[in-house]
Amino acid sequence: MRPAAQTAAATALKATATGPAIRVGLIADVQYCDKEDGWNYSKTEKRAYRGSLECLRKAVTYWEQGPSLTFVAQLGDLIDGNCMKLGITDECMQRVEEALRPVSSPVVHLLGNHELYNYSRAQLAARLNTQVEGREYYTLQYPGWRVVVLDPYQVAAIGWEKEDPRFQEAERILREKNPNYGVTDDWFRGMEGLNRRFVPYNGGLGAEQLGWFRAQLTAAQEAGDRVIVLSPVLLH
């Protein structure tokens, strides 16, 4: 192990011996909307749109009553896509922002597909501080630890203008992998296994971000750092 890696590893072990080296609060898929209860896309799970705001408030109370946190990670979909359809996006976002306001720790916001239904990337950066150095994927560093924040919608059919190469690449992949795309709203018809991921509300890291991700993991390994990866969606 290199000297720098030995120092980082020793720091992490010392912190672990005296208490957690890093303590994180997590919440995902709040999907608040001021509307009656509904269902998910496949009609398998009920969604309590108004009730989710109370769940968020309870999470905040839990975090604030416990030991101090290094940060809180909000893993995306803070409000629901229905907010845009109903024309109440700002109203609903204000309510979840108000619920989060008592959090004394830094809050790291990731982009989910539902944020991208409601706002542009520039608006989300201004409102939720989702960008570091102009992009939504970045690394946070702590003694002995690296937190890698990913944006799985860098290549996507949502969140970009149709002229953007990242939108065009997403469309190419969707048309190649999913014969239902652009033909019917039943995106899952005839789709099985991992092929079911090729639907318009998903996305991809893209070659640039994937290369950056590999470099971050290599650098962490060389330094002896442990790594936490944050993403709004599963990684395949």
Side-chain angles (χ1 to χ4, degrees), residues 128-144:
L128 300 178
N129 195 30
T130 52
Q131 293 183 357
V132 173
E133 297 181 353
R135 62 189 186 191
E136 290 87 0
Y137 57 94
Y138 52 89
T139 298
L140 304 172
Q141 291 193 254
Y142 304 93

Side-chain angles (χ1 to χ4, degrees), residues 1-10 13 220-225:
M1 185 181 294
R2 299 181 183 183
Q6 290 177 330
T7 301
L13 287 173
Q221 184 178 37
E222 291 177 348
D225 289 345

Side-chain angles (χ1 to χ4, degrees), residues 150-190:
L150 296 178
D151 173 17
Y153 295 97
Q154 273 294 299
V155 175
I158 54 175
W160 303 111
E161 297 295 332
K162 291 185 177 181
E163 297 76 20
D164 193 290
R166 289 160 290 196
F167 174 88
Q168 293 174 356
E169 182 181 356
E171 277 228 314
R172 177 187 62 77
I173 293 171
L174 286 169
R175 293 187 189 283
E176 177 184 317
K177 300 291 186 179
N178 190 335
N180 303 307
Y181 180 68
V183 177
T184 174
D185 290 338
D186 186 6
W187 300 320
F188 294 103
R189 186 175 62 188

Side-chain angles (χ1 to χ4, degrees), residues 5-186:
Q6 290 177 330
T7 301
T11 301
L13 287 173
K14 182 178 179 181
T16 302
T18 57
I22 186 169
R23 192 189 301 270
V24 181
L26 290 174
I27 194 163
D29 295 287
V30 176
Q31 291 189 222
Y32 170 70
C33 185
D34 186 11
K35 72 182 295 288
E36 298 298 324
D37 293 354
W39 296 88
N40 64 346
Y41 183 81
S42 56
K43 304 293 189 292
T44 57
E45 296 179 3
K46 191 173 184 179
R47 288 181 174 170
Y49 293 106
R50 293 190 178 112
S52 66
L53 189 61
E54 183 59 27
C55 291
L56 177 59
R57 291 178 179 135
K58 288 181 178 179
V60 170
T61 299
Y62 177 79
W63 295 328
E64 291 304 295
Q65 290 179 344
S68 62
L69 301 173
T70 309
F71 64 89
V72 167
Q74 188 278 115
L75 298 180
D77 291 351
L78 192 55
I79 59 175
D80 194 80
N82 281 294
C83 298
M84 180 270 295
K85 296 177 182 178
L86 296 172
I88 54 175
T89 290
D90 286 339
E91 175 187 333
C92 291
M93 181 61 85
Q94 287 168 7
R95 289 178 183 174
V96 294
E97 287 174 329
E98 180 66 28
L100 283 168
R101 195 157 289 130
V103 178
S104 55
S105 309
V107 179
V108 177
H109 291 282
L110 278 70
L111 292 182
N113 56 310
H114 285 265
E115 276 90 359
L116 295 173
Y117 296 149
N118 283 279
Y119 291 108
S120 70
R121 286 175 177 264
Q123 289 172 322
L124 290 165
R127 191 150 195 168
L128 300 178
N129 195 30
T130 52
Q131 293 183 357
V132 173
E133 297 181 353
R135 62 189 186 191
E136 290 87 0
Y137 57 94
Y138 52 89
T139 298
L140 304 172
Q141 291 193 254
Y142 304 93
W145 289 84
R146 299 188 188 208
V147 179
V148 178
V149 178
L150 296 178
D151 173 17
Y153 295 97
Q154 273 294 299
V155 175
I158 54 175
W160 303 111
E161 297 295 332
K162 291 185 177 181
E163 297 76 20
D164 193 290
R166 289 160 290 196
F167 174 88
Q168 293 174 356
E169 182 181 356
E171 277 228 314
R172 177 187 62 77
I173 293 171
L174 286 169
R175 293 187 189 283
E176 177 184 317
K177 300 291 186 179
N178 190 335
N180 303 307
Y181 180 68
V183 177
T184 174
D185 290 338
D186 186 6

